[in-house]
Amino acid sequence: NCKVVMDEIRKISKEQIVMAFVATCIETTARYLGVGYIEIYRRMERVGMIDNYIVPNYEVLHSESREVLAERMVECLTNWEKEL
């Protein structure tokens, strides 16, 4: 029943939705680069990209296509790693 599904979706907190999006960003980036998601997670964590880019920019980023999202993630990650 569609109403039951929608009621369950409404119970999901904004934080859970954003964290699911973070996982999507990690997986999409890993797939785009052809590497494991754990490697991408560690790289993003090392430069602070999850807390300082993905989460604060969720509203803008989540509306992007997967392809554009992957390109943005790779560009950001690469640039931030150069700053280390």
Side-chain angles (χ1 to χ4, degrees):
N1 181 324
C2 187
K3 183 181 179 332
V4 172
V5 171
M6 291 307 293
D7 288 344
E8 289 302 311
I9 290 172
R10 286 188 191 106
K11 292 178 185 175
I12 298 172
S13 72
K14 174 74 176 222
E15 182 179 354
Q16 289 171 311
I17 292 168
V18 172
M19 288 302 102
F21 179 71
V22 168
T24 297
C25 290
I26 294 166
E27 292 171 4
T28 300
T29 304
R31 196 171 299 119
Y32 186 86
L33 294 175
V35 299
Y37 70 91
I38 293 172
E39 177 186 336
I40 296 301
Y41 170 77
R42 287 181 178 150
R43 288 173 62 187
M44 286 181 174
E45 273 292 295
R46 186 172 62 243
V47 298
M49 194 171 144
I50 294 169
D51 293 330
N52 298 305
Y53 180 68
I54 299 172
V55 172
N57 293 293
Y58 165 77
E59 294 298 333
V60 174
L61 294 171
H62 89 280
S63 64
E64 300 286 357
S65 70
R66 293 276 174 127
E67 183 177 324
V68 170
L69 181 64
E71 291 168 359
R72 282 182 181 240
M73 294 294 115
V74 170
E75 180 181 12
C76 183
L77 182 59
T78 303
N79 288 336
W80 288 27
E81 285 177 326
K82 288 177 186 174
E83 298 293 320
L84 287 182

